[in-house]
Amino acid sequence: MIKKALLTLTALSLLASAAEARTWDEIKKSGTIRIATEGAFPPFNLMKGNQLTGFEVDLANALAQQLGLKVQWVTQPFDNLLIGLNQDRYDFVIASHGITPERQKAVDFANPHYCTGGAIVTHPGGPMTAAALKGKTVAVQVGTTYLQNVSKVPGVGDVKTFPKDTDAQAALLAGRVDAWVGDKFTGLDLVKAQKGKLVQGDLLFNERIGMAVKKGNTSLLKELNAALAKAMNNGTYAKISNEYFGQDIRCH
Ligand code: ARG
């Protein structure tokens, strides 16, 4: 698994130099910005019927509006998102990517648009701490910081990866794994929806989440950071965050 993650990153770095990303001036002139997300990571990005929605979708739409741009959304499996970015299939990605040194070798991140962490969810009586994961089977989404961090837990049993986070959750619900590790806010919603059947355990790690642009696309990065700062100062960010979480989830 770790070997596979390394290969993916090497592939990303190679692709980084392949073509030219659209600069801010080119995007502005076209009038439309192309944004990619997964659309399967509630409550951050998800499909409601055939409508793309979620905290990050609303936030990115608000940023584009501030920048005077129309939006063309693209959905891709999570594991393909940064590869597609480096192939110039879209201008930026907003899909709850944790800002990690490995990813920073492949892409450039905007200032974080929220802070969160990876937490354990299990059945009542199941493993609630990192120590309790010893010998246990854990479900995680492939290509994520959950996989990276769970793999480092000493003595952890089988780590099963799923293309979609919602499938990893389903494996826990079906009793095929002992625990699921995922976003702490997603976990809270899951536990609430399954009243009494699941419980949330310890937070395993914290992370800052950022939008990604192609490496070296500094003109776009500057505009995204300015738009995000403005949304954070004019109440737009707080309003969207409160709708989804009942709180402001920006980094402090
Ligand atoms: N925050 C985690 C990471 O950085 C998970 C992100 C998953 N995002 C998604 N759209 N499925 O890897």
Side-chain angles (χ1 to χ4, degrees):
M1 223 49 251
I2 292 185
K3 223 179 189 173
K4 188 181 171 212
L6 285 176
L7 274 176
T8 307
L9 285 166
T10 312
L12 277 174
S13 322
L14 287 175
L15 286 165
S17 52
E20 280 314 308
R22 293 205 301 170
T23 63
W24 168 249
D25 284 343
E26 288 163 341
I27 295 166
K28 184 84 196 165
K29 216 167 128 197
S30 82
T32 302
I33 191 156
R34 291 195 300 252
I35 315 177
T37 190
E38 183 196 23
F41 195 62
F44 300 99
N45 59 78
L46 65 146
M47 298 301 296
K48 246 194 195 148
N50 53 16
Q51 187 70 28
L52 191 60
T53 183
F55 171 68
E56 291 181 304
V57 174
D58 289 2
L59 179 62
N61 280 333
L63 299 184
Q65 197 183 356
Q66 281 181 179
L67 292 168
L69 295 170
K70 288 198 207 116
V71 178
Q72 188 189 325
W73 281 100
V74 179
T75 56
Q76 289 277 305
F78 179 70
D79 217 20
N80 291 353
L81 282 165
L82 299 187
I83 296 169
L85 181 66
N86 281 335
Q87 292 171 336
D88 299 306
R89 293 175 184 233
Y90 25 78
D91 300 306
F92 76 92
V93 172
I94 183 163
S96 290
H97 282 91
I99 301 171
T100 66
E102 293 86 353
R103 288 173 179 161
Q104 278 173 318
K105 284 182 195 150
V107 299
D108 285 337
F109 281 101
N111 295 327
H113 60 277
Y114 73 97
C115 266
T116 187
I120 303 171
V121 172
T122 183
H123 293 282
M128 298 285 279
T129 63
L133 288 179
K134 201 169 174 209
K136 300 290 183 197
T137 302
V138 185
V140 292
Q141 185 180 22
V142 75
T144 60
T145 51
Y146 317 126
L147 171 60
Q148 197 184 24
N149 283 274
V150 169
S151 305
K152 284 194 302 211
V153 170
V156 67
D158 198 10
V159 182
K160 285 200 191 324
T161 59
F162 295 80
K164 283 164 65 188
D165 193 50
T166 44
D167 292 338
Q169 295 166 25
L172 174 64
L173 277 165
R176 289 199 298 271
V177 296
D178 299 306
W180 163 82
V181 171
D183 183 80
K184 67 172 183 184
F185 294 111
T186 305
L188 275 179
D189 283 357
L190 182 65
V191 165
K192 230 190 271 167
Q194 296 298 325
K195 341 175 206 344
K197 288 202 204 120
L198 296 177
V199 287
Q200 192 162 46
D202 281 2
L203 194 67
L204 292 183
F205 65 97
N206 288 299
E207 60 180 351
R208 293 152 66 238
I209 304 293
M211 300 175 273
V213 301
K214 189 176 184 182
K215 196 147 201 56
N217 196 350
T218 47
S219 63
L220 175 56
L221 200 59
K222 199 174 136 236
E223 296 295 331
L224 286 180
N225 279 333
L228 179 61
K230 186 173 162 192
M232 284 181 163
N233 286 329
N234 70 11
T236 303
Y237 179 97
K239 183 168 171 282
I240 301 170
S241 179
N242 270 303
E243 274 169 32
Y244 284 94
F245 306 102
Q247 60 180 296
D248 191 318
I249 65 166
R250 78 183 68 189
C251 301
H252 293 290

